[in-house]
Structure formats: structure tokens, C-alpha cells
Amino acid sequence: MRKLLVVLVVLGLALVGADRLAHALATDEAEQRLVTEGLTEPSVRVGGFPFLTQLLSRDFAEVEVDARSLVRDAGRAEDVTATARDVHVQRGREVTVGELSARGVVPYDEVLRRVDLPGLRVVPTADGQVRLRRDVTVLGQTLTVTATARVEARGERLRVVPTAFELVDGAAVDDQLASLLVDRFAFSYALRDLPDGVTVRRIVPTDEGFAVEVSGRDVSFSDLPG
């Protein structure tokens, strides 16, 4: 009986070792492919045990991905994290995800480069808004203006809408001047490449940029590489 128990223990350890090896090989391959897709220093983790059973069935309980950055033609994001649950890999190049949540920080300089507002500076405030500052020419006068603005998500766009203006020299901003300043400070940034079924849930200004949180259910990815 003792020998039988020893054999069972050794067999169990061997199976665990094989499972971990398969997990390491698969996640390493996934990380290499993510690099070709524009992710920097990606890390892939697959939850659930045993891994081999999930691999053979092409059904994964949970997949987590972290990356230092994501750079594509559509834009740039830092500190990218994503969690996918109930993942099914079909035979071909399509993946379906039962539940997806992701987060990334879009740097302020990336947003300002896209919206073409030269000289605009963006600083987050403690109440979840942003403080804007820019030199503008209005009615022949060059003014240094600061503005308080709210940040909102509209569909697949990040919008910054000014709500109050101040002049740095202390002069008052009347309604007429404020109406002329709105278009000099308001901007909208498209959050590109979001798959169908994924929506922007929350946008929070941080010291590094706009932290964008997205989520979705029954999300399908097709035409994936490899």
C-alpha cells in the first residue's frame, strides 16, 4: 500500500509539473504575439486548474494581461491591464469572451497631439475635473486663460468640457467672452479600436493622464494574428 501511495504522489507531481510547463509555454507564446501587436513587456496569466484541460477544450476560465504600454496607429496607452473571463478560442482566428474589463492611461500629451490644441496644458484637480491653461487671441487681444473643465465619456469618445474661465491677471470673464473661449478649450478624443460590445465605463484624470476603464459582455474578437 505504501508503494502504491508513493507512486500516486509521484504521478500527481508529474502531472502538476506537466501542467505548469504547458502553462509556461503557452503564456510565453502569447506574450511574444502581444509584443507584435504593440504591447510593451506584456505579462499573461491564465487562471484555473488544470491548464491542460482548458487548453484541449479551448475554454479558459480567466485570462489576465498586463503591459507597460500599448502603442498602435490608433493611439497610445500606459499601464494597460485587462481581465477576460469565460474565454473560448474557436478553431480559426476568433475568440469570444463572456466578460471583459480593461484599463489604460492615455497620456495628456497623446490626447493633445491628436486634438491639435497647441500650448494647452492639462492638470487634474482633486474633484475629478481638469484645470486647463492656454494663451489665446480673442478680438485682437492675447489673453492667458485658465479653465475648469469636466471629463466625460460619450460613446467611444473622451470629452473635456470647460465650465468656468479665469484670466491670470485677475480680470473678470463675462458671458460674451466665455462663449468665445469655449471652442478654444473644449476637445474630444476618439478611443479607437474598441471591439463591438465594449463600452467606456469611466474616465478619471490622473497625474499621468486620463485613466480609461472599459467593459463588455459577450465580446467577439476576429481576424486575430496567428
Side-chain angles (χ1 to χ4, degrees):
M1 178 61 72
R2 182 175 182 277
K3 290 184 178 180
L4 177 59
L5 292 176
V6 170
V7 170
L8 290 175
V9 169
V10 172
L11 179 59
L13 292 175
L15 291 174
V16 170
D19 192 79
R20 290 178 177 173
L21 177 60
H23 181 279
L25 292 174
T27 54
D28 183 65
E29 173 69 15
E31 290 166 2
Q32 292 180 41
R33 293 186 181 184
L34 289 175
V35 169
T36 66
E37 288 298 296
L39 277 80
T40 304
E41 299 177 11
S43 172
V44 177
R45 295 176 300 279
V46 180
F49 182 86
F51 174 76
L52 280 172
T53 302
Q54 297 184 84
L55 184 62
L56 291 173
S57 66
R58 295 173 173 261
D59 289 311
F60 301 90
E62 182 175 279
V63 180
E64 296 181 346
V65 177
D66 297 330
R68 186 166 62 84
S69 64
L70 169 62
V71 181
R72 300 186 60 134
D73 293 339
R76 181 173 111 251
E78 308 289 341
D79 298 326
V80 177
T81 63
T83 300
R85 296 184 176 88
D86 298 328
V87 180
H88 177 64
V89 183
Q90 300 183 24
R91 296 194 179 274
R93 296 188 177 184
E94 186 168 353
V95 175
T96 57
V97 178
E99 182 180 350
L100 175 68
S101 60
R103 180 186 185 276
V105 178
V106 183
Y108 294 125
D109 61 350
E110 160 67 15
V111 174
L112 296 177
R113 179 177 67 86
R114 295 277 183 178
V115 301
D116 191 26
L117 289 177
L120 182 66
R121 284 175 282 177
V122 183
V123 177
T125 64
D127 58 357
Q129 300 189 88
V130 290
R131 191 81 169 166
L132 310 175
R133 178 168 174 151
R134 189 185 184 201
D135 292 337
V136 296
T137 300
V138 180
L139 302 177
Q141 287 187 306
T142 299
L143 307 172
T144 301
V145 182
T146 62
T148 301
R150 69 176 183 269
V151 180
E152 57 187 31
R154 287 289 182 90
E156 296 183 356
R157 304 191 75 87
L158 178 160
R159 296 186 67 226
V160 173
V161 182
T163 56
F165 296 96
E166 297 178 6
L167 302 182
V168 294
D169 62 4
V173 175
D174 58 25
D175 291 343
Q176 181 181 5
L177 178 56
S179 66
L180 297 174
L181 292 173
V182 169
D183 290 341
R184 315 293 181 92
F185 287 84
F187 58 87
S188 176
Y189 174 82
L191 299 163
R192 301 170 177 84
D193 278 359
L194 292 180
D196 293 339
V198 174
T199 59
V200 180
R201 185 163 55 90
R202 190 181 182 208
I203 300 176
V204 179
T206 70
D207 291 339
E208 293 75 27
F210 296 103
V212 180
E213 300 176 10
V214 302
S215 63
R217 290 182 177 276
D218 301 323
V219 181
S220 178
F221 299 86
S222 58
D223 298 327
L224 296 177

